[in-house]
Structure formats: C-alpha cells, structure tokens
Amino acid sequence: ACTPTPAPPTRPPPAAPPPAHPAEGAVARALPRLPRVIDLLAARAAEHDRDGTFPYQGVEAVHEAGLLTLTVGRRHGGPGAGLADTVRVLARLGRGDASVALLTAHTLLHHAEQARTAPWPAALYRRLLTESRRGPALVGTLRAPAGRPPAVTAHWHGNAWRLSGRAPHCPGAEALAWLVVAARTAEAQPRTGLFLVRADSPGLEIDPAADQLGLRAAAGHDVLLEDARIGTDAALLPRGAAETPDPVAAAWHQLALSAVLLGTARAALDWSAGRLRGAAATHRRPLGELDAALTGAEELVHGLAARTDADPAAATRAPAVQLLAARTAGDTVQRALTLTGSTGLDRRHPLERHLRDTLSLRTQLPAEDAVLDALGGALLGG
C-alpha cells in the first residue's frame, strides 16, 4: 500500500498592512499647490508693499493650500512636516512675497515646537487647531531684543496674571489669532517666560503706526498691553533656573527664516536675469557667480534641514549656516542692483523691494557679531 503524502502545513494569510495615517501624504499633496499660491502672492506684493496693507488674500491662499498648518503634529491629525519640507515651502513662498512667507514661518514654527515638545497646554492648543480649521490662525511671537529684558511685565493679581507694556514691531499684529508674549514677572525673584495671549483679549490693543523700510505688508505694528488678564494655564514660566536653550528649536527658527531670505534673493536674481536677457554678454559671468553662490547657500540650508530631521545633533551647525545664507542673500540682491543699474532702484520694479525685504529679514536672525563670537568662543574652549 502507498503511504499518502502529508499535506503541506497551512500558512496564515499575510497580515494586512496597518491603516494609513489620516495625514499620510498630506505634505506631498500640499506641495503641488505652491506654484499657484506663489503667483498670487507675487501679483499683489507690490501693492501691499506700496500701501503698507496687510495681505489677507495671500494668507488665505496659503491657508487654503494646507501650507499654514503643514507642521501640525501627526498625533494632532496634522501632516507632521519636518524641517526639510518646511524650509522647502518657505523658500518658495519667499519668492512670491517675503512678508507672507515670514508670517507663515512664525506660525509653522509654533506648530512644529508643539509637535516636538508640547509647550502649549492641551486645551489651548486644541482651541488653536479648531480655529485653524475655520480659517487662517496666525501665531506671532513678541520676544525681547537680544541682550535686553522683555518690554512686558507680568503682575500676579488675584488668581491670574496681568500683562502690561508695549511690545514694538510685531509682524502681522492686526491679523494674529494668538500672540506668544515674552514677559518678566514682578516677583521678588523675577522670572522670564512666555504667555499665550488671545489677540482679542481685553486690555490688548494694536497701535497701527508701523512704517518700516521693508516687509511692509507684514504690518509690524506695536502691541499695547494694559492689565491684559492671562489664565494660569497660559503662562509658560520656568520653575527654577533659566532653561537651557534648545539647539533644535533654534535651528528650526534660523533655517526657516534663512529659507525665506534665500527665496527673496532668488526672486531678485531671477528678475535681474530677465531684465538683462539680450544685453551684453559681459553680464553672463557676474550672473553666473551670483547663481553659484546662491545655489551653494540654498544647498547648505536645505541640506542641514534634512540632516537635522535625521539627527538632531546636526542642529548645532545652524548658526554658521544661517550666517552664510544671510550674507549670501544680501550680497546677491545688492550685486544684482549693481548689474541692473538705476532701473533696479525704480519702484515700478520689484528689485528695490527685494532689497528692502532682505535687509529687514536679516533683523529677524541672530546678529552677526553674536554668532561669530559664539563660534570663536567654542573654538577657543570658552
């Protein structure tokens, strides 16, 4: 008799792949919308700059494209974009309108920080997310200039903090949903911390007196606080000694704003090349040099952003990279003006606006002297 061949053991069916995260691919879906947004920003940039009016339509376009909440963390249902994607978006927006790009950067940075370290109390951040679904919910920061105490004082009164003071030059002041205000407490041992303030809070007013050289559409007005009441849950105060600066947070800030700067410089170079097209061949080499330098700075910023996403230790290189990027952007625009001559200074053309915007953007970054002193001190072991 033949022995029957045993049947092969049955294998369990392959496990089904895990369900896709609701935000999966959100970044990839948002990026193709950039060209239309940039065209819209560029079309209105000169008008808003000339009149000093806020670019509500441009901010709305950024929001509708899903770009204003690109860094909302995945645990909050957002795309969870990293620094590399953020830098890519801001560089492109900077080509359209540096003011809108700056306002977008500030909001994206707050969402990114919440995704990383969750400084906002959960209830207040849920409120911000709800507002972000209804429309553009811009978040601005009022920090003290480097080396100076905050201009706002926090007094404890009853069961709440009350903020008083005048904070100058707040980008987007008239259209912000929330302000993150640096203030010094009026305590026996003063502490410096951040306070989350709703823009419609009683005691908060905007002084529409801004008349700045560049980034005029950002409407960097002064914010006046007079006994503005802040709940205890909205005070982000250190419990003890001053907190150690976070190099990753600093890298996000520095590389994001560097990207806006480089985008603005790229727009200036593109316009200059178009203006000089068909002119003498003597312009080819100078334009080529500007393009090479600008490309190198762009690669530095984008490359370090990607490295920081992969390895947070790379963030320590951000001060040097942003310094080189800022220098390159400024040099690119000024040398482009030299090539185009008096035409580049004509207010009917965008080049002089790009010059003013790059000058103003550089004030948003650490001062060169401070960066160089820190880099030199590190080399000397100080």
Side-chain angles (χ1 to χ4, degrees), residues 169-313:
H169 309 307
C170 175
E174 69 181 73
L176 296 176
W178 289 82
L179 293 87
V180 181
V181 181
R184 186 175 175 85
T185 63
E187 299 173 301
Q189 294 184 338
R191 293 176 290 167
T192 297
L194 299 176
F195 294 79
L196 310 179
V197 185
R198 274 285 309 169
D200 57 2
S201 298
L204 187 153
E205 294 184 11
I206 306 299
D207 181 4
D211 189 16
Q212 294 178 286
L213 175 71
L215 300 173
R216 289 173 51 77
H221 301 309
D222 291 2
V223 176
L224 308 179
L225 295 158
E226 186 174 352
D227 282 337
R229 186 180 183 279
I230 307 300
T232 55
D233 62 337
L236 311 180
L237 284 164
R239 297 185 180 276
E243 298 175 355
T244 304
D246 179 2
V248 176
W252 270 80
H253 175 84
Q254 293 169 16
L255 297 182
L257 298 188
S258 295
V260 177
L261 248 175
L262 293 173
T264 307
R266 178 60 69 179
L269 183 57
D270 288 346
W271 182 86
S272 301
R275 186 75 183 183
L276 295 170
R277 192 166 290 126
T282 53
H283 292 305
R284 290 181 181 177
R285 180 168 179 174
L287 286 172
E289 289 180 349
L290 294 182
D291 182 58
L294 191 57
T295 299
E298 290 166 342
E299 289 297 314
L300 280 176
V301 169
H302 290 269
L304 184 58
R307 285 184 58 196
T308 302
D309 282 338
D311 177 12

Side-chain angles (χ1 to χ4, degrees), residues 76 114 118-129 196 233:
H76 300 296
Q114 185 69 14
W120 286 51
L124 293 185
Y125 191 64
R126 283 196 299 269
R127 184 175 177 183
L128 172 60
L129 291 179
L196 310 179
D233 62 337

Side-chain angles (χ1 to χ4, degrees), residues 12-285:
H21 188 280
E24 195 72 50
V27 175
R29 290 193 297 272
L31 294 178
R33 301 169 188 157
L34 267 172
R36 184 186 67 83
V37 174
I38 295 164
D39 288 345
L40 186 148
L41 298 183
R44 300 289 301 275
E47 171 191 344
H48 289 301
D49 174 78
R50 181 181 62 251
D51 301 335
T53 52
F54 191 82
Y56 287 100
Q57 184 183 14
V59 172
E60 181 70 34
V62 173
H63 164 72
E64 289 180 351
L67 302 171
L68 199 56
T69 51
L70 206 62
T71 54
V72 172
R74 290 195 169 196
R75 68 175 178 271
H76 300 296
L83 182 53
D85 284 325
T86 302
V87 161
R88 183 168 20 153
V89 167
L90 292 174
R92 298 287 299 279
L93 292 178
R95 295 189 187 191
D97 187 337
S99 292
V100 176
L102 175 66
L103 299 172
T104 302
H106 285 174
T107 300
L108 290 177
L109 289 172
H110 282 288
H111 285 303
E113 184 64 13
Q114 185 69 14
R116 287 196 320 107
T117 63
W120 286 51
L124 293 185
Y125 191 64
R126 283 196 299 269
R127 184 175 177 183
L128 172 60
L129 291 179
T130 299
E131 294 165 352
S132 298
R133 286 189 286 270
R134 295 172 181 165
L138 295 173
V139 185
T141 305
L142 292 178
R143 295 188 183 273
R148 299 183 187 177
V152 177
T153 303
H155 299 265
W156 181 255
H157 183 78
N159 61 349
W161 291 101
R162 294 183 181 271
L163 303 184
S164 295
R166 183 186 189 101
H169 309 307
C170 175
E174 69 181 73
L176 296 176
W178 289 82
L179 293 87
V180 181
V181 181
R184 186 175 175 85
T185 63
E187 299 173 301
Q189 294 184 338
R191 293 176 290 167
T192 297
L194 299 176
F195 294 79
L196 310 179
V197 185
R198 274 285 309 169
D200 57 2
S201 298
L204 187 153
E205 294 184 11
I206 306 299
D207 181 4
D211 189 16
Q212 294 178 286
L213 175 71
L215 300 173
R216 289 173 51 77
H221 301 309
D222 291 2
V223 176
L224 308 179
L225 295 158
E226 186 174 352
D227 282 337
R229 186 180 183 279
I230 307 300
T232 55
D233 62 337
L236 311 180
L237 284 164
R239 297 185 180 276
E243 298 175 355
T244 304
D246 179 2
V248 176
W252 270 80
H253 175 84
Q254 293 169 16
L255 297 182
L257 298 188
S258 295
V260 177
L261 248 175
L262 293 173
T264 307
R266 178 60 69 179
L269 183 57
D270 288 346
W271 182 86
S272 301
R275 186 75 183 183
L276 295 170
R277 192 166 290 126
T282 53
H283 292 305
R284 290 181 181 177
R285 180 168 179 174

